[in-house]
Amino acid sequence: MRFLPSGSLAVIRALPLLLLCLSGFSHGQISYSITEEVKKGTVVGNIAKDLNIDIQELQSRAFQVVAGSNKYFDLNPKIGSLFVHDRIDREELCESKQKCFLNIELMAQNPIKLYRVEVSIIDINDNPPVFSLQKLVKNITENVVPGDRFALSAARDMDVGVNTVKSYSLGPNEHFSLDVQTYGQSLFPELVVQKPLDREKQSVFNLVLTSMDGGKPPRSGTLDITINVLDVNDNNPVFSKPLYKVKIEENAFVGTKILTVTATDSDEGVNGEIIYSLVDQHENAASDLFSINNQTGEIKIKGNIDYEESSAIELRVQAQDKGHSPKHTYCKVLIEVVDVNDNAPEISVTLLMSSVSEDIKPGTDVALITVSDKDSGTNGKVNCTILVPSPFKLQSSYKNYYSLLSNEPLDREQVSQYNITVLANDKGTPSLSSSHVITVHVSDVNDNAPSFPAAVINISLKENSPVGGLLASLTARDLDIGENALVSYSLIDTESSRVSNLMNINSHTGELYSLKTFDYEEIKRIQFQVQATDAGVPPLSSNVTVNVFVLDVNDNSPVFLPPYSEPGSVNTENIPYSAEAGYFVAKVRAVDADSGYNALLSYHITESKGTNLFRIGTSTGEIRTKRRMSDNDLKTHPLIITVSDNGEPSLSTTMSIEVVVVENLDSLQPSLRQVPVKEDNSSNLNLYLLIAIISVSVIFLLSLIALIAAKCYGTDGGFGRSSVPVVTTHPDGSWSYSKSTQQYDVCFSSDTLKSDVVVFPSQFPPPDAELISINEGDTFTRTQTLPSTVKVRPCLV
C-alpha cells in the first residue's frame, strides 16, 4: 500500500495506516485515511498498487466502485487511484463519534470479485464551539450573597478530540466570576457571585461567555448573558427633604393647603409604592389639627390653629412602601404660626449647683438662663437684665441664652442666700416683660473660728459648793454652719497650773463643772483658759480666759477675843455704885473669819433681870451704864453678850459677863478697877493700830486733797465751786471725812490676821457699801469712791 501525496491532503499518518492496510489485505480489505473537507479529486490511494493488480488488468476487468456504496469516492481506472468525488464532512457523517469510517466496495469482472476498502475520516477543527442559545437571560434577586452559584449553558463543538471544547472564559466583571466543572469529557460552566448585588445601583449586567476548543488555531464561540437583578424590598422610602418648614397664620381656614411632602423609593413595583400618614406624638396630636392625603402627601389644616397654644407645630410624617415586609421613614414638618405681640417672655433657669460655696472664684458659672418668647420676629427678641445689684452678673452666651456668673467674693456669714430677680423685656410694641427670682444658696466653708462672747468670762462660785456643780455654760459661737460650726471645748493646762484637776468641761456643750469644793478663806480666784475648736477641715480654734471668783458665804461664826474667848466661862466686871450714866464697864472684841458683810459684826446685850441698866455699842462692843445706880438695883448683874455677823443667815456667838456693883473700887485691886489691865496683852496691838490709823488718815487726807485739786483744776470754777471737805479727828482715835451733810463711820477690826476698814453710813451699811482694807504692810487701799462723809474709828480701843 502506498499514499499519494497531494498539496491539499491533510497529513496522513503513514506508518500506522500502512500496517493496518497490510493487515486488512490479507483478509481482502484495504484501509485508507483522509481528512475531512479535502478538495474533490484528492487521491486517497492507489488501488492497483495496493491490490497488486496491473493497470491493464484494472481496465480489462472493469474495476469500478460499486454504485450505492458511497458517493464520496470514485476510481480512476487509467491510473488505478481512488480519489475524492464529493465533499466529506465528518460531522455530517459521524456527528460526535470519536471514530468515523466510510466503507467502499470495488468490483472487478471477469471474474467478478469484490474488494472492500475502509476509509477513516480524520477530523479537522472546522467547527467552532456553539451555544444552544444566542442570548442567555438570568434573573437573580439582589439579596444573593457572595458564593452563590448559577449554572450556565455549555457550548457544543461538532469536532472531536482536541478540536472539541477545552475552556470557558467570562468577560471582565467585578460582581461575577466563572467556575468550570468537569463531568467525564464534558465541561460545564457555573456563574459565581463575587460581590453583593444592589438593584438600585445596577439592575442589569451584560456578560459575554466565551468557549474555546483545543484546535490549532483554536476556534471559539460566545454567549451573551443578560443578568436581571430582581428587586427585593431593601430600601426605605426617602423624603425629598428631611425637614419641611412652612408659615401659616393663626386662625387660618380649615381645609387650607399648607404644603405637599414627597418621598421616593428606589425599589420597584409594590416595593416602591408609597403611602403617607401623620404620626401622633405625645405632646402634639397632629391628626387633630392637620390631615394628609395618603397618596399625594398633601397636608391641609383640619382644626383651629392657635398661636397662644402652639407657636410652632411639628408634624411627623411617615412614608411607607407596600412591600411584603413594608419599610418606612419619617420627615418633620415645622409649621411656624405667625402671631402678634401678645405673649410675655418666658424665663427658664437651670442651676448648675445646688449651692454656691462662699469661696467661689469670681467668674464662675452659677446658673444657665434661657429666655424665650412665643412671639416671633421683633416681638420675640428679648433683653435680659438683673434688677437689684448683687454679687452676680449676667453674661450673654448665645442669642437668648445667658450665664449667671459670680462677680464678687461671697461671705455666707453676711449673706447666706441671694434672691436674684431677672427681668426679661421683649422688643415688641408695646414691650412686654416678665421676671424670675433665682434663689442662690451660699454654702459654708470653715473660714470662721469659734468666738466667745467676751475675751474674759467671770464666773462666781460660792464657797463650799458641792463637787460636780454646774458653774456655767461656756458657749462659743461659730458663724459657720454644719460640721464647720460643730464646736468642742477643752481646758488648757499650763506648766504652772493643772486646771484639769480643779475643773471639768463637757466637750460638746461647754458646761463647766467643779471637781472639788473651794474655800474662800484658802483661794479666792481661779484663772484658766478654755479652748473652743470647730470640726472643720482644717479645724479653727480660739481661747477665752475664765476667772472663777470664789464668793464668801457666811460659814464662820464670830469668835470673841481674849480675855473673853474661853467658852463656857463667866467673866466678872466690877463697877462702883456711884457710877454715872455712860460709865465704861468693859469692851468685848470679836472677829469673823469671813469677809465683807459676812464679817461685819454687831453686838447685843441681854440682861437676865431686864433692869435695862447697861447698854453696849453695836459696832464697838463697849459696855456702859445707861443711868445711875439706885437702891432698887441688884448688886450682881449677869449679862449675856451676843455678837452676830451680817451674813445671810446671820451667825452669832454668845458669852456671859457678870457685872458686880461695889461701894468703892479703891478697895479692889487696881487690876480690877482699870480696864487697861485686861488689855496689857494687847497694848502692842493697839499701838500698831494707832500708827496704822494715823498713817491711813494722813494718806487718805493727802489723797482727798489731790483729788479735790485735780477736780477743781479740771473745771472752770476752780476751788470756789467745789465744797471743801472737812476731816475731823475724834478723841477716841477715829476720824471722819465730811463733804456734805452726811456722815459715815469707818470701823477698824482688831483682828491681828487682817485689818479691814468698813465704811457704812449707819449701824448697818447698805449692800453697796465699800471696803477699805488695811493690809499687814499698813497700806491703805481704797477699792471704790468713798461716799460724801466718812468717819473712821477703831473697832477696838
Side-chain angles (χ1 to χ4, degrees):
M1 175 180 174
R2 59 186 179 88
F3 296 94
L4 296 177
S6 175
S8 60
L9 292 176
V11 177
I12 303 174
R13 301 177 183 183
L15 184 59
L17 290 178
L18 178 59
L19 295 175
L20 180 62
C21 292
L22 291 175
S23 175
F25 180 75
S26 62
H27 292 85
Q29 181 173 336
I30 302 174
S31 296
Y32 295 103
S33 296
I34 190 172
T35 60
E36 64 174 330
E37 301 291 344
V38 296
K39 293 181 179 180
K40 293 180 181 181
T42 300
V43 177
V44 178
N46 194 320
I47 295 297
K49 183 180 179 180
D50 294 335
L51 292 178
N52 199 17
I53 299 176
D54 188 68
I55 297 299
Q56 288 75 13
E57 185 179 356
L58 288 178
Q59 294 180 353
S60 62
R61 295 184 67 178
F63 266 82
Q64 62 179 359
V65 176
V66 177
S69 60
N70 67 75
K71 62 176 183 176
Y72 298 104
F73 300 99
D74 200 0
L75 180 65
N76 186 348
K78 293 180 179 183
I79 58 176
S81 61
L82 184 67
F83 64 92
V84 176
H85 181 261
D86 198 0
R87 173 179 174 267
I88 299 174
D89 186 359
R90 194 198 68 84
E91 287 76 27
E92 183 179 347
L93 293 175
C94 300
E95 294 182 351
S96 59
K97 294 179 180 179
Q98 293 295 323
K99 295 182 179 182
C100 184
F101 297 97
L102 289 179
N103 293 317
I104 304 172
E105 292 181 353
L106 297 177
M107 184 179 68
Q109 297 180 0
N110 300 318
I112 297 175
K113 188 176 181 179
L114 294 177
Y115 295 92
R116 190 179 188 88
V117 178
E118 183 182 76
V119 179
S120 175
I121 308 301
I122 299 175
D123 182 53
I124 63 172
N125 192 24
D126 60 342
N127 290 285
V130 177
F131 289 93
S132 60
L133 299 174
Q134 293 184 352
K135 184 175 183 180
L136 175 64
V137 178
K138 293 192 74 67
N139 296 324
I140 301 176
T141 59
E142 60 179 325
N143 61 349
V144 293
V145 295
D148 286 355
R149 294 171 176 264
F150 300 92
L152 299 178
S153 298
R156 182 183 179 188
D157 196 325
M158 300 301 293
D159 298 325
V160 295
V162 295
N163 295 325
T164 190
V165 176
K166 294 299 182 181
S167 64
Y168 290 92
S169 63
L170 189 66
N173 175 44
E174 64 177 354
H175 287 84
F176 299 94
S177 65
L178 190 67
D179 188 20
V180 180
Q181 302 291 331
T182 301
Y183 296 97
Q185 298 297 322
S186 300
L187 302 178
F188 295 94
E190 291 183 347
L191 191 66
V192 181
V193 178
Q194 291 293 110
K195 290 179 60 177
L197 305 180
D198 189 351
R199 189 201 67 81
E200 289 69 38
K201 292 182 178 180
Q202 186 173 354
S203 60
V204 178
F205 292 89
N206 294 313
L207 307 178
V208 177
L209 178 64
T210 301
S211 175
M212 302 287 292
D213 60 22
K216 292 183 179 181
R219 306 189 71 173
S220 63
T222 59
L223 173 64
D224 292 332
I225 301 175
T226 300
I227 298 177
N228 295 321
V229 181
L230 301 181
D231 182 55
V232 295
N233 194 22
D234 60 343
N235 288 280
N236 293 331
V238 177
F239 281 96
S240 59
K241 294 188 294 184
L243 178 64
Y244 294 85
K245 294 182 179 181
V246 64
K247 289 184 179 181
I248 60 173
E249 293 183 356
E250 63 175 329
N251 302 323
F253 294 107
V254 174
T256 302
K257 174 184 174 182
I258 59 172
L259 83 161
T260 300
V261 296
T262 304
T264 58
D265 197 315
S266 299
D267 298 323
E268 62 181 0
V270 293
N271 293 333
E273 296 180 6
I274 297 174
I275 299 176
Y276 300 93
S277 62
L278 294 178
V279 179
D280 284 338
Q281 302 176 14
H282 294 294
E283 67 276 5
N284 181 16
S287 59
D288 294 339
L289 300 176
F290 300 93
S291 63
I292 188 170
N293 188 310
N294 61 355
Q295 299 297 325
T296 64
E298 183 180 79
I299 300 176
K300 294 182 180 181
I301 296 175
K302 179 182 177 181
N304 182 34
I305 307 300
D306 190 356
Y307 178 85
E308 283 66 36
E309 293 183 0
S310 297
S311 60
I313 302 174
E314 181 180 300
L315 302 181
R316 194 177 186 192
V317 180
Q318 174 182 277
Q320 178 176 302
D321 59 33
K322 296 181 180 179
H324 177 69
S325 296
K327 294 183 176 296
H328 55 267
T329 189
Y330 302 94
C331 76
K332 290 183 180 180
V333 178
L334 186 60
I335 302 172
E336 182 181 352
V337 182
V338 179
D339 188 38
V340 295
N341 190 29
D342 58 348
N343 290 280
E346 295 181 357
I347 302 173
S348 176
V349 177
T350 301
L351 289 176
L352 300 180
M353 52 191 77
S354 59
S355 61
V356 177
S357 177
E358 63 178 318
D359 61 350
I360 188 173
K361 295 181 179 179
T364 304
D365 290 335
V366 175
L368 296 179
I369 302 174
T370 304
V371 183
S372 61
D373 196 312
K374 293 182 180 180
D375 301 323
S376 60
T378 305
N379 297 331
K381 294 181 179 180
V382 181
N383 289 328
C384 195
T385 56
I386 295 179
L387 283 182
V388 180
S390 67
F392 299 91
K393 68 177 181 178
L394 281 181
Q395 179 176 304
S396 178
S397 56
Y398 175 74
K399 290 185 179 179
N400 291 339
Y401 294 89
Y402 297 85
S403 296
L404 182 65
L405 309 176
S406 61
N407 193 37
E408 300 174 5
L410 305 178
D411 188 355
R412 189 205 63 81
E413 287 69 39
Q414 293 183 1
V415 181
S416 62
Q417 175 179 308
Y418 291 92
N419 294 320
I420 304 168
T421 302
V422 178
L423 180 66
N425 295 288
D426 62 25
K427 294 186 179 180
T429 304
S431 176
L432 300 179
S433 64
S434 61
S435 62
H436 185 90
V437 177
I438 303 175
T439 300
V440 178
H441 298 277
V442 182
S443 62
D444 183 55
V445 297
N446 194 26
D447 58 346
N448 291 278
S451 61
F452 288 94
V456 178
I457 297 177
N458 296 323
I459 301 172
S460 297
L461 172 65
K462 290 184 179 181
E463 65 173 328
N464 303 324
S465 295
V467 176
L470 177 64
L471 303 184
S473 293
L474 304 180
T475 303
R477 181 188 178 194
D478 196 315
L479 297 179
D480 299 321
I481 58 175
E483 291 290 330
N484 297 329
L486 187 59
V487 180
S488 60
Y489 303 88
S490 61
L491 297 173
I492 300 179
D493 283 327
T494 61
E495 295 181 0
S496 60
S497 174
R498 297 288 296 179
V499 69
S500 58
N501 296 331
L502 303 177
M503 302 291 174
N504 181 39
I505 191 167
N506 189 311
S507 60
H508 300 290
T509 62
E511 294 178 342
L512 186 66
Y513 298 91
S514 61
L515 295 179
K516 62 176 293 186
T517 299
F518 298 99
D519 188 356
Y520 175 82
E521 285 69 37
E522 294 180 0
I523 184 171
K524 296 178 174 56
R525 186 185 71 168
I526 305 169
Q527 186 179 68
F528 55 91
Q529 284 190 327
V530 173
Q531 184 177 76
T533 305
D534 60 28
V537 178
L540 301 178
S541 62
S542 62
N543 299 339
V544 65
T545 299
V546 180
N547 289 320
V548 178
F549 292 97
V550 181
L551 300 181
D552 182 50
V553 297
N554 194 24
D555 59 344
N556 292 284
S557 299
V559 176
F560 285 98
L561 295 178
Y564 308 107
S565 58
E566 295 182 6
S569 64
V570 178
N571 300 282
T572 302
E573 294 291 343
N574 298 318
I575 64 171
Y577 179 78
S578 61
E580 299 292 334
Y583 180 84
F584 178 81
V585 178
K587 183 173 183 174
V588 296
R589 295 170 300 169
V591 294
D592 197 313
D594 298 321
S595 63
Y597 287 108
N598 295 328
L600 186 60
L601 305 179
S602 60
Y603 300 89
H604 304 278
I605 189 171
T606 302
E607 297 183 51
S608 58
K609 299 291 185 179
T611 58
N612 198 22
L613 179 61
F614 302 94
R615 61 181 175 85
I616 190 171
T618 58
S619 59
T620 63
E622 293 182 352
I623 303 174
R624 295 179 181 272
T625 59
K626 289 183 180 182
R627 57 181 176 80
R628 286 180 58 87
M629 296 291 176
S630 66
D631 294 337
N632 295 328
D633 291 324
L634 299 176
K635 300 301 181 183
T636 301
H637 298 271
L639 303 179
I640 299 175
I641 307 300
T642 302
V643 59
S644 302
D645 59 27
N646 199 40
E648 290 291 340
S650 177
L651 300 179
S652 63
T653 304
T654 62
M655 56 86 65
S656 297
I657 295 180
E658 187 175 84
V659 180
V660 179
V661 181
V662 298
E663 291 296 334
N664 188 1
L665 288 179
D666 294 336
S667 61
L668 297 176
Q669 296 181 0
S671 60
L672 298 177
R673 297 177 60 239
Q674 299 177 4
V675 175
V677 173
K678 296 183 179 181
E679 298 182 8
D680 288 341
N681 57 353
S682 61
S683 59
N684 293 332
L685 177 61
N686 291 335
L687 178 60
Y688 296 150
L689 280 176
L690 182 60
I691 295 172
I693 291 172
I694 295 173
S695 300
V696 170
S697 301
V698 172
I699 294 172
F700 185 69
L701 181 60
L702 294 177
S703 300
L704 288 179
I705 294 173
L707 178 63
I708 295 172
K711 185 174 181 181
C712 294
Y713 178 78
T715 59
D716 295 335
F719 287 94
R721 295 188 180 182
S722 60
S723 58
V724 179
V726 178
V727 179
T728 305
T729 303
H730 301 280
D732 59 358
S734 65
W735 53 269
S736 63
Y737 162 72
S738 300
K739 191 176 180 181
S740 62
T741 57
Q742 295 182 356
Q743 178 174 318
Y744 298 86
D745 290 335
V746 178
C747 178
F748 292 93
S749 172
S750 60
D751 188 359
T752 58
L753 298 178
K754 58 181 178 177
S755 299
D756 294 335
V757 178
V758 182
V759 180
F760 48 91
S762 61
Q763 290 184 354
F764 300 97
D768 58 349
E770 59 190 16
L771 299 181
I772 302 175
S773 299
I774 300 175
N775 298 323
E776 294 178 7
D778 296 334
T779 301
F780 178 82
T781 302
R782 188 171 185 269
T783 60
Q784 297 183 9
T785 304
L786 290 174
S788 300
T789 300
V790 178
K791 181 180 179 182
V792 180
R793 63 174 180 271
C795 296
L796 57 90
V797 179

